[in-house]
Amino acid sequence: MNNINILVDCFNLKYTLECGQCFRWEAVENKPNTYIGVIHDRVLKITQEGNLLSVSSNKEEDLEEIVKEYFDLNKDYSKIEKKIATFDKKIATAVKNTSGIRHLRQDFFETLLSFIISANNNIPRITKSIQTISNRYGTKVMFEGKEYSLFPTKEQLKNVTVDEYRECGVGFRDRYLKDTVEDLLNNKIDVSNVDKLSTEELRKKLLTLKGVGPKVADCIMLFSCNKDEVFPIDVWVERVMSILYFKEYKGKMTKKDIMEYATKKFGKYAGIVQQHLFYNIREGKINLG
DNA sequence: TGCCAGGCCTTCC
DNA sequence: GGAAGGCATGGC
């Protein structure tokens, strides 16, 4: 067993893991602020007590480095939150409510498939489908006497059929997964290079994949590529934005209207604002008035 | 029973 | 280019 401690600032483990950006973490029963999750090539167990993270894993190699990158710990979120809070009182309240959300840097392939599955779906079922796919096709690892499954690689999914995806509970998204995995096996997108592309270049590439529209593309960029300026608009964000800023439109504004408003108002931190708004509205922290 | 869910694809105009 | 309809499935 390998244990490390990491000091953190402006970080809330619960908010970060439960705000809807990731699907493979589980709260440990009877242990407050403790979660077990599978990322990249290993299992992590993390506890937060104040500003201290205690991390254990089945794998020692590069543990601290991987945790710091995954949770984006080298970025000054305290500064970003202060900046965001100056946009207006509504945003200041939202950020105060959910301070410490960080944008994860998740595995690109896993995030891509996860958010294809997320389309017109709900979080419990998304979680279940991803778990089933991992259990069926991913590499098994042991941690604390229990077996876990890594998310499968594209090679491990090479021969999975449309019907087999359907059996994992993904519904009509089965063929999207099949097509997208095939495209990646043919190197339609160079996964090792995605971070180096500009937001526009990457979005354009993502939109060529089946099952990836504007919203899914933005989520992938926000939750695995650190593109903090994108502003994914789902039904929740559409709802909260219309309540906060478009009341007089009475539902007649389009997603394009919201997008233009948000990118202009929130600039390079639009994605971080978006995540606070999403979590606030979903958890009932914003008064729907 | 009917509606909703971190939307996208296809068809039609 | 934009609007409308279809789509699997489980929870409420």
Side-chain angles (χ1 to χ4, degrees), chain A residues 218-230:
Chain A
D218 282 358
C219 281
I220 295 162
M221 292 195 286
L222 193 54
F223 303 141
S224 81
C225 304
N226 257 19
K227 303 291 191 192
D228 288 337
E229 73 273 29
V230 302

Side-chain angles (χ1 to χ4, degrees), chain A residues 2 5 19 33 38 56 59 106 108 122 124 136-137 140 174 195 200 211 219 237 258 267 269 279:
Chain A
N2 309 291
N5 293 319
C19 71
N33 291 319
V38 184
S56 57
K59 197 170 178 182
Q106 300 179 83
F108 176 80
N122 57 66
R136 283 200 181 194
Y137 307 111
K140 308 287 183 251
D174 52 4
D195 284 351
E200 274 319 307
C219 281
V237 174
I258 298 175
Y269 297 129
Y279 196 44

